[in-house]
Amino acid sequence: IRVLSAVCCLFALHCQAFGQCTLTDLRSGDLLFFAPAKDNAITKVTQGIGDVAIDHVAIVRAADSVITTIEAVHRGVVEMPIDSTWARARQKSETVIVGRINSGLDIPASIARALQHLGKPYDFFFEPSDSAIYCSELVQKAFVDIEGKPLFHTIPMSFHTPDGKILPYWTEYYRRAGKTVPEGALGTNPGQLSRSRRLIILGRLYD
């Protein structure tokens, strides 16, 4: 219990260091990073900004005073009202951290590219070569700079813990699907995106 309390306190301190951001502060092209209340199989093998565990990312779209998010969730790539996204996060006791590209992002082109993926199925096996797509892959494929070049690059995927061993969860997860763990294959993850030098962290999202 003491260890758990210490972890929770450390998590709270990291989040407090980001400051505050409200729904009205959001702009098109902002990224929302979701930190779950408890560690999971994704956060145990990836690293988020400030050592905060992050397992999901969504793209903000603001058009005609209406704010929505474009994101790859388990039912596929969807666009939904920010109120629904925020309510989902609160229901799950998630912390939401807002990031903004510091320069060079072609916002209209990036949003248009993200919208092209609407309706695609979620990629449960994180395979960038197929037609399905996962949350950080959507950002990586959508975001381009003013010259039309990708803003984020792929990195070798990690399914291992700090000691270098693949998490047993992922070994079993892929075994059940008749696949091998794609350790080292090129991909991306939301924690990695949150640590990008192209990003400014605006703060923790509040009402």
Side-chain angles (χ1 to χ4, degrees), residues 29-31 33 49 98-106 110 139 143-153 192-202:
D30 285 348
L31 294 175
F33 296 98
I49 183 72
V98 183
R100 181 170 294 163
I101 304 302
N102 50 31
S103 64
L105 175 67
D106 187 331
S110 297
V139 177
F143 274 33
V144 292
D145 63 20
I146 54 179
E147 296 180 349
K149 298 179 181 178
L151 205 70
F152 299 110
H153 298 288
Q192 167 226 348
L193 293 181
S194 74
R195 294 184 288 108
S196 172
R197 294 181 179 179
R198 304 302 302 267
L199 203 67
I200 297 173
I201 299 298
L202 300 184

Side-chain angles (χ1 to χ4, degrees), residues 45-170:
V45 297
T46 60
Q47 180 185 2
I49 183 72
D51 289 328
V52 173
I54 292 171
D55 69 353
H56 182 60
V57 60
I59 301 168
V60 174
R61 181 191 185 200
D64 300 324
S65 300
V66 176
I67 301 177
T68 60
T69 58
I70 308 168
E71 54 189 312
V73 295
H74 283 187
R75 68 176 184 271
V77 181
V78 298
E79 182 176 17
M80 57 195 305
I82 186 63
D83 289 344
S84 298
T85 305
W86 181 226
R88 182 190 71 207
R90 287 184 297 177
Q91 183 180 30
K92 297 168 66 176
S93 299
E94 293 176 320
T95 296
V96 181
I97 299 169
V98 183
R100 181 170 294 163
I101 304 302
N102 50 31
S103 64
L105 175 67
D106 187 331
I107 296 177
S110 297
I111 295 297
R113 288 166 64 95
L115 291 172
Q116 290 176 359
H117 294 286
L118 288 178
K120 286 187 177 181
Y122 184 77
D123 188 352
F124 288 95
F125 299 107
F126 314 107
E127 299 170 329
S129 60
D130 60 15
S131 60
I133 196 164
Y134 57 95
C135 68
S136 54
E137 182 187 12
L138 175 64
V139 177
Q140 192 274 323
K141 288 186 173 180
F143 274 33
V144 292
D145 63 20
I146 54 179
E147 296 180 349
K149 298 179 181 178
L151 205 70
F152 299 110
H153 298 288
T154 55
I155 61 168
M157 288 193 290
S158 165
F159 293 86
H160 65 265
T161 53
D163 62 5
K165 297 179 180 179
I166 293 179
L167 195 70
Y169 171 90
W170 291 116

